[in-house]
Amino acid sequence: MAIGTNWLGEEFSKLYMNEKLSDVTIVVDNVKLPGHSYVLAQRSRYFEAMFASGMIETISKQIEVHETSIDGFKSVLKWIYAGTAKFKSINSTFDALHLTQMYELECKFQNMAIDFLKDNCASDNVCLILNEAVLLSLDVLCDFAIEFVSNKFCEILKHESFQRLSVDALNEILTRVVVPTSHIDVFHAVVGWMKANFSKSAAFTGILENVVLDSITVKDMANLPSDVLNAVVCLVRQKKTSGSTYCLKDENVALAKYGVKVIAGGATLFFEEKGNCYLKHIIKASQKGIVIDLGCRFKLNSFKMQLANTGNNTFSYFIAVSENNVNWSRVIDHSKYPCHSVQNLYFKERPVRYIRICGTAPVNDTFQILYFKGYYTTELFKIDPDTTLNVPLDNKTMFKRCKTLIELTCEGPFNGFAELPNLQNVYLNGIKLQLAQPYLYDSVQVKFLDQGGPASTYYIEVSADGISWARVFSGENNTVWHEVHLNRQPVVFLNFYGIYNSKSNILRCVEMKYSAVFDN
């Protein structure tokens, strides 16, 4: 079949721009091109439907193509016949991309056109490329253009092509290109766009909502056109002057390039990752804690940070966020739970500019973090709105940094909790494990492997603070799964031990699953 397909493709290629056996004429910009209805129908569902419908083109044997360039159409026609294409200019490639969607051609042709635009992208055409990317919903090309603009933002703002942006493309720039400084320059560039696009005044207010207006002076407003001035005044009255909330998916935004700085608890150098620089504060009853200004407002739903390892110490803490450094909302509350190592934290998405991290225990100790990152993550997660605790969806992640508090010598290396939640050879005195952070559990599932030895009774206890323990399981070894309901409680510590009917002191707990999947 492959050989036949290749042969057919070669035959089609020979017919490109060949009047031999041509049964249809294609007219583009008053230029007549020979076509073959069979080839066109085979390679494009658009032409297949045209020739099957009895449209006027079928009767007249002439297809007129409007609003496209001859070069753009020829690149499409070349692809239809030969499976190859050559692009000559930016504008003709735009035409080809429009025709690609109309004629429902293979994605490979579209990707070739996108690659040509990427290779030829420059400061004087990136705005036009972004227009087409947004219009045709070409996400890959749009992302590329936004990154290009980000890297040369000041230059693009001043370029005359900035005024030729579409409304949607302009809003893409204003909501995706993070501008920690030069807000007044952005304002003047947008006003220039508005003066050049006065017919689009209905969109002015929506556009200005994405511009920081807090630093605009009376002098700046004095020479504004009336429609622009009215839009600015409207937003000032509504207190919508802080600009866009940026959403950078799966990207750490606590970076120097976005304007992050430390207000309390350390130096901004911490975020430049140079040398041994930490954020810290002394834990007291009343305190400000560590305060971070991201420099801009971002939509966030996740933090990642690492607590300092100071011996066997663990820390309790909470994290609050704010848009204006005045009104704060606590999104993470681990103030009652001992935590250690890396903290993977999630919360309901919200606009965030300021972040307060406050250690709560042990009092008089130094709460210290080694790194901090903020994200809008697209990964799946589940949180409990009442406790702000993470509901684990992945057992492996939960046990990745589990700390063994009591570990006796085993017959083999004890490394099960490094990767998988499995215990082997647990001894009489038991093993206590501390998770890196609290999780909200609904149930525990356990199964013990019958090694052919005497029956033993096994126990599992859980605790949120390491002081008060609740026994959640007791039973003899067998090969069936036991599901133990925990009534949806926070868990930080787990204790495993056993009572035996022989002199043997080995507990063989082969498999354990920790389930916390619930709807509400």
Side-chain angles (χ1 to χ4, degrees):
M1 181 178 292
I3 295 175
T5 302
N6 290 338
W7 173 84
L8 187 60
E10 291 175 2
E11 293 302 307
F12 284 175
S13 179
K14 294 176 183 177
L15 293 176
Y16 173 66
M17 300 300 290
N18 192 334
E19 295 185 0
K20 181 180 179 181
L21 301 179
S22 171
D23 60 347
V24 64
T25 300
I26 306 170
V27 182
V28 184
D29 199 17
N30 296 320
V31 178
K32 293 184 178 181
L33 305 174
H36 306 78
S37 58
Y38 177 78
V39 178
L40 296 173
Q42 286 293 313
R43 299 279 286 169
S44 166
R45 284 183 290 181
Y46 174 88
F47 287 115
E48 181 184 15
M50 174 188 288
F51 294 126
S53 66
M55 295 172 62
I56 189 171
E57 289 86 354
T58 305
I59 300 172
S60 65
K61 300 297 182 180
Q62 181 168 298
I63 303 172
E64 294 191 9
V65 182
H66 303 284
E67 298 181 359
T68 192
S69 64
I70 187 66
D71 287 338
F73 184 82
K74 278 186 175 181
S75 63
V76 171
L77 196 63
K78 179 74 172 180
W79 173 261
I80 290 175
Y81 276 83
T84 62
K86 184 176 182 180
F87 304 100
K88 293 186 176 182
S89 69
I90 294 289
N91 287 331
S92 64
T93 305
F94 291 158
D95 292 333
L97 282 170
H98 283 267
L99 293 171
T100 299
Q101 294 192 352
M102 180 188 300
Y103 296 159
E104 300 180 64
L105 301 181
E106 297 176 43
C107 291
K108 187 176 179 180
F109 177 77
Q110 184 181 83
N111 293 338
M112 290 172 62
I114 289 174
D115 287 342
F116 175 84
L117 293 175
K118 287 181 178 180
D119 292 340
N120 292 274
C121 185
S123 298
D124 60 352
N125 60 33
V126 65
C127 291
L128 304 182
I129 290 175
L130 182 59
N131 282 346
E132 297 300 318
V134 172
L135 178 63
L136 299 175
S137 300
L138 302 174
D139 293 341
V140 172
L141 185 58
C142 187
D143 292 344
F144 175 86
I146 288 295
E147 184 176 0
F148 189 100
V149 171
S150 298
N151 294 332
K152 297 189 176 184
F153 188 65
C154 292
E155 181 181 348
I156 303 302
L157 276 184
K158 299 173 183 178
H159 199 278
E160 60 87 18
S161 63
F162 185 85
Q163 298 181 359
R164 296 163 62 189
L165 285 164
S166 67
V167 171
D168 292 336
L170 176 58
N171 279 324
E172 281 287 312
I173 291 177
L174 296 177
T175 57
R176 294 184 59 184
V177 177
V178 182
V179 186
T181 57
S182 304
H183 294 304
I184 191 65
D185 293 336
V186 176
F187 173 74
H188 287 309
V190 170
V191 170
W193 181 93
M194 291 176 172
K195 289 179 178 179
N197 294 271
F198 220 74
S199 61
K200 301 173 184 176
S201 59
F204 284 3
T205 301
I207 291 170
L208 285 170
E209 283 186 1
N210 296 320
V211 179
V212 176
L213 303 177
D214 293 337
S215 57
I216 305 305
T217 65
V218 175
K219 182 179 179 181
D220 293 323
M221 299 173 63
N223 297 320
L224 295 179
S226 58
D227 284 357
V228 179
L229 180 61
N230 291 339
V232 171
V233 171
C234 178
L235 293 175
V236 170
R237 288 174 177 171
Q238 297 178 39
K239 298 182 179 180
K240 295 181 178 181
T241 60
S242 55
S244 175
T245 298
Y246 302 105
C247 182
L248 307 183
K249 296 180 180 179
D250 300 311
E251 179 182 341
N252 174 31
V253 300
L255 295 173
K257 69 177 183 178
Y258 297 139
V260 67
K261 57 186 176 183
V262 178
I263 297 177
T268 299
L269 187 66
F270 172 82
F271 290 101
E272 296 179 8
E273 300 179 356
K274 296 179 181 178
N276 297 322
C277 192
Y278 311 109
L279 298 184
K280 60 185 179 180
H281 72 92
I282 303 299
I283 299 175
K284 298 290 185 182
S286 177
Q287 59 195 330
K288 191 174 184 179
I290 297 166
V291 181
I292 299 167
D293 176 5
L294 294 175
C296 300
R297 207 170 42 175
F298 294 93
K299 182 187 289 186
L300 300 180
N301 61 9
S302 174
F303 296 132
K304 296 186 188 301
M305 69 176 182
Q306 182 170 1
L307 303 179
N309 181 17
T310 56
N312 292 320
N313 287 351
T314 57
F315 297 97
S316 302
Y317 66 92
F318 69 82
I319 300 179
V321 299
S322 172
E323 293 185 59
N324 53 17
N325 203 16
V326 176
N327 302 312
W328 293 85
S329 299
R330 189 174 296 194
V331 293
I332 303 295
D333 191 352
H334 290 176
S335 57
K336 299 179 182 178
Y337 311 106
C339 305
H340 69 89
S341 187
V342 175
Q343 307 289 289
N344 293 302
L345 310 169
Y346 303 92
F347 51 94
K348 185 177 180 181
E349 64 181 49
R350 64 184 64 217
V352 175
R353 174 165 177 174
Y354 299 92
I355 303 164
R356 175 178 292 153
I357 310 165
C358 235
T360 57
V363 176
N364 293 326
D365 206 338
T366 300
F367 179 82
Q368 183 171 293
I369 59 177
L370 305 184
Y371 73 74
F372 183 87
K373 300 178 180 180
Y375 294 89
Y376 180 84
T377 181
T378 58
E379 68 178 280
L380 183 65
F381 67 86
K382 189 176 182 67
I383 54 171
D384 176 61
D386 296 326
T387 63
T388 76
L389 296 185
N390 186 11
V391 179
L393 302 178
D394 181 358
N395 294 330
K396 183 178 287 189
T397 300
M398 185 176 54
F399 284 91
K400 205 167 187 179
R401 293 177 177 85
C402 187
K403 181 188 292 186
T404 306
L405 302 181
I406 302 175
E407 181 182 345
L408 301 182
T409 304
C410 299
E411 291 181 343
F414 183 81
N415 58 8
F417 273 89
E419 292 295 338
L420 295 172
N422 295 336
L423 280 179
Q424 293 184 342
N425 303 330
V426 180
Y427 278 70
L428 180 61
N429 287 354
I431 286 185
K432 290 182 181 179
L433 300 171
Q434 181 186 352
L435 306 179
Q437 64 190 74
Y439 292 88
L440 194 66
Y441 284 104
D442 187 49
S443 65
V444 175
Q445 293 180 318
V446 295
K447 181 170 72 172
F448 301 103
L449 178 63
D450 185 359
Q451 297 284 351
S456 302
T457 302
Y458 308 116
Y459 299 97
I460 301 175
E461 295 178 338
V462 298
S463 173
D465 55 11
I467 300 173
S468 300
W469 291 84
R471 181 176 294 179
V472 295
F473 176 82
S474 64
E476 293 186 351
N477 67 334
N478 52 55
T479 57
V480 299
W481 283 104
H482 298 275
E483 182 164 349
V484 183
H485 294 282
L486 305 183
N487 297 321
R488 198 170 301 181
Q489 64 177 294
V491 175
V492 178
F493 298 90
L494 300 103
N495 187 19
F496 308 88
Y497 61 98
I499 299 176
Y500 309 96
N501 296 329
S502 74
K503 295 181 180 180
S504 170
N505 66 348
I506 297 178
L507 168 68
R508 300 186 184 278
C509 173
V510 178
E511 291 185 84
M512 301 193 70
K513 293 181 180 179
Y514 304 90
S515 174
V517 180
F518 41 79
D519 294 331
N520 299 317

